[in-house]
């Protein structure tokens, strides 16, 4: 086999970053991204894109930290290059505040972000309801800018991007040798993976150009995340709720919670509502699988279930998915190994 034909299902931040990593890591392959929705209509376009990890209970902390570090270092280099604006990546400083002292003094990601420290008394004066807090600088990676930039990189490297809904993975056989499943919530129907469920998130994108610092409460439910051209105010976390329409009651409540933390937001204008469904799972599924049917084989790499923190770990987890693809591409090329697959 000369060229290994690889299909990546899904064009959110996970599918696109995986496709790009594969094109860099796997020699002599062709890459086709197949997705029913594309930017600006994916969950990844709704996300604030802040690099602050959410712990996955079923994925080891060691692995999560490695993914976060790789993602942070990769994006930090882009943020420090002439590409930063086109890629939609910038540094942002701010505060994570606590009503009661945090359960863990220092989170696992504290030495990956920049300048992590306890907030001073002077800083805490801004938040009379809160007793303590952490200050740090992290990165913001904006989906509606970053996804088109990834698509462009993939196309420059010869990849194809197609619009199509996949009902059954066998549709991709025999046109492709390896299928990478980055379908997010779509894997619930596609694969019958009942571990994955939606966690609905509603946010407001507002104009408040004077707000430059992020603020996040202890459980990440209420947040103010300033971006390049708007501020994201959040949020909600509604488990098992599939409703993609904005709820006016949610919006009122979000605005009042955010104004309680940042009173100047009372002057925010051009308020737009957005909703996304987080593809949540107890742990990210990153795994090879051989599907067999009527004597045929299909080589799949599953890569989905990034829940509330997909942006924070996407590059590290895409590198790992690309290594799994690379192992298979290598085996498919070697007749001796192929016989055993
Ligand atoms: C309100 C909100 C705020 C968030 N804020 C942050 C944040 O600040 N930081 C952070 O790290 N994370 C954040 N997240 C989480 C982040 O958005 C997700 O973890 C991430 O977007 C998941 O990416 P994904 O590519 O797996 O999924 P998606 O973006 O949903 O992409 C899935 C893709 O698969 C395609 N697909 C699905 N099924 C099929 C099928 N059958 N056939 C063809 N294509 C299919 C879809 O069309 C889509 O293109 C937030 C999420 C929400 C909702
Ligand atoms: C995605 O993964 C699920 C879970 O195993 C599987 O049932 C489904 O067929 C996969 N879909 C694609 C397109 O790879
Ligand atoms: C918010 O800002 C991002 C980029 O900074 C932009 O792509 C997006 O369209 C904006 N959204 C709204 C609703 O203004």
């Amino acid at each position: 086999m000369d060229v290994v034909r690889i299909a990546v299902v899904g064009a959110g931040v996970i599918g696109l970053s995986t496709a790009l990593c594969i094109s860099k890591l796997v020699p002599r392959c062709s890459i086709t991204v197949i997705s029913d929705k594309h930017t600006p209509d994916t969950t990844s376009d709704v996300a604030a894109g802040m690099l602050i990890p959410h712990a996955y209970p079923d994925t080891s902390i060691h692995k999560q930290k490695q993914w976060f570090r790789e993602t942070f270092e990769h994006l930090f280099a882009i943020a420090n290059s002439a590409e930063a604006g086109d890629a939609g990546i910038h540094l942002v400083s701010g505060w994570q505040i606590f009503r009661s002292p945090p359960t863990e003094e220092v989170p696992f990601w504290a030495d990956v972000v920049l300048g992590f420290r306890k907030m001073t008394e002077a800083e805490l004066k801004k938040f009379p309801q809160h007793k303590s807090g952490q200050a740090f600088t992290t990165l913001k990676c904006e989906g509606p800018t970053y996804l088109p930039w990834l698509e462009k990189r993939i196309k420059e490297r010869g990849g194809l991007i197609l619009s199509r809904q996949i009902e059954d993975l066998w549709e991709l056989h025999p046109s492709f040798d390896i299928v990478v499943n980055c379908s997010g919530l779509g894997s619930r129907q596609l694969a019958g993976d009942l571990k994955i469920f939606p966690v609905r998130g509603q946010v407001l994108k507002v104009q408040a150009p004077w707000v430059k610092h992020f603020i996040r409460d202890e459980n990440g439910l209420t947040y103010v995340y300033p971006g390049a051209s708007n501020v994201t105010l959040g949020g909600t976390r509604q488990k098992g709720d599939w409703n993609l329409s904005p709820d006016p009651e949610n919006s009122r409540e979000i605005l009042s919670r955010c104004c309680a933390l940042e009173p100047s937001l009372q002057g925010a204008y051009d308020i737009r509502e957005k909703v996304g469904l987080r593809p949540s799972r107890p742990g990210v599924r990153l795994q090879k699988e051989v599907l067999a049917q009527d004597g045929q084989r299909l080589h799949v790499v599953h890569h989905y279930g990034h829940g509330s923190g997909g942006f924070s770990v996407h590059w590290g987890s895409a590198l790992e998915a690309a290594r799994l693809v690379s192992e298979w591409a290598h085996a498919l090329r070697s007749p001796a190994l192929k016989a055993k697959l």
Side-chain angles (χ1 to χ4, degrees):
M1 179 181 303
D2 192 32
V3 171
V4 176
R5 299 160 307 167
I6 300 167
V8 175
V9 179
V13 69
I14 299 301
L16 295 178
S17 57
T18 303
L20 187 56
C21 283
I22 293 170
S23 81
K24 292 184 175 186
L25 244 74
V26 183
R28 288 178 293 131
C29 68
S30 71
I31 295 172
T32 309
V33 176
I34 304 171
S35 191
D36 56 348
K37 289 187 186 161
H38 297 267
T39 182
D41 300 318
T42 71
T43 307
S44 301
D45 290 283
V46 176
M50 290 290 286
L51 267 71
I52 302 177
H54 284 252
Y56 305 109
D58 284 6
T59 303
S60 81
I61 288 293
H62 171 78
K63 178 131 288 182
Q64 295 184 53
K65 184 166 177 179
Q66 180 195 327
W67 290 344
F68 181 56
R69 187 184 293 284
E70 285 167 351
T71 306
F72 195 95
E73 286 174 358
H74 175 70
L75 297 187
F76 188 48
I78 299 171
N80 294 327
S81 76
E83 289 288 311
D86 287 344
I89 301 168
H90 60 84
L91 285 165
V92 57
S93 300
W95 300 296
Q96 168 155 283
I97 52 177
F98 296 82
R99 280 176 194 270
S100 44
T103 39
E104 31 167 18
E105 278 293 314
V106 179
F108 73 85
W109 42 264
D111 61 349
V112 178
V113 298
L114 308 176
F116 185 94
R117 60 174 171 80
K118 279 176 122 170
M119 282 168 72
T120 64
E121 288 301 318
E123 286 172 306
L124 280 165
K125 278 200 183 127
K126 184 170 168 62
F127 308 102
Q129 308 288 322
H130 293 77
K131 301 231 163 16
S132 67
Q134 300 157 342
F136 54 93
T137 299
T138 189
L139 289 156
K140 191 170 189 287
C141 174
E142 310 205 309
T145 317
Y146 186 57
L147 300 192
W149 185 79
L150 288 177
E151 286 188 347
K152 197 167 144 222
R153 298 277 92 80
I154 293 165
K155 288 181 190 157
E156 279 169 3
R157 303 179 68 87
L160 273 179
I161 299 183
L162 305 180
S163 282
R164 181 173 143 196
Q165 183 171 9
I166 306 296
E167 307 277 348
D168 179 341
L169 163 79
W170 283 99
E171 291 167 32
L172 302 170
H173 181 84
S175 315
F176 295 95
D177 305 305
I178 300 173
V179 176
V180 191
N181 186 355
C182 302
S183 58
L185 259 192
S187 12
R188 192 176 166 100
Q189 292 114 296
L190 263 180
D193 181 346
L194 297 178
K195 276 196 187 164
I196 190 154
F197 57 93
V199 176
R200 181 177 181 278
Q202 182 165 324
V203 293
L204 305 176
K205 305 263 177 181
V206 308
Q207 291 301 311
W210 58 87
V211 174
K212 302 291 187 196
H213 261 58
F214 76 80
I215 305 169
R216 178 184 201 269
D217 77 356
E218 54 221 287
N219 40 35
L221 194 59
T222 303
Y223 49 81
V224 175
Y225 291 145
S229 52
N230 46 51
V231 184
T232 305
L233 308 184
T236 68
R237 216 179 270 157
Q238 295 141 307
K239 276 192 189 169
D241 186 340
W242 291 86
N243 181 15
L244 273 168
S245 311
D247 171 352
E249 184 48 40
N250 285 168
S251 295
R252 270 192 294 277
E253 206 222 332
I254 290 168
L255 194 57
S256 104
R257 278 190 272 130
C258 290
C259 284
L261 299 184
E262 179 52 71
S264 74
L265 284 170
Q266 281 157 13
Y269 55 95
D270 193 11
I271 298 176
R272 317 234 172 155
E273 304 165 295
K274 297 271 175 196
V275 178
L277 305 177
R278 303 174 180 91
S280 296
R281 211 176 172 276
V284 172
R285 185 161 186 218
L286 190 36
Q287 195 176 49
K288 294 194 283 191
E289 185 182 22
V290 184
L291 299 183
Q293 178 179 294
D294 305 329
Q296 306 285 335
R297 280 151 189 263
L298 189 54
H299 297 87
V300 182
V301 172
H302 295 288
H303 187 207
Y304 61 79
H306 295 74
S308 304
F311 276 86
S312 305
V313 296
H314 74 277
W315 194 257
S317 115
L319 283 170
E320 192 166 327
R323 283 192 287 269
L324 297 180
V325 171
S326 172
E327 285 167 23
W328 256 346
H330 180 71
L332 287 170
R333 282 207 181 91
S334 134
L337 283 171
K338 192 178 175 186
K340 292 197 209 131
L341 285 180

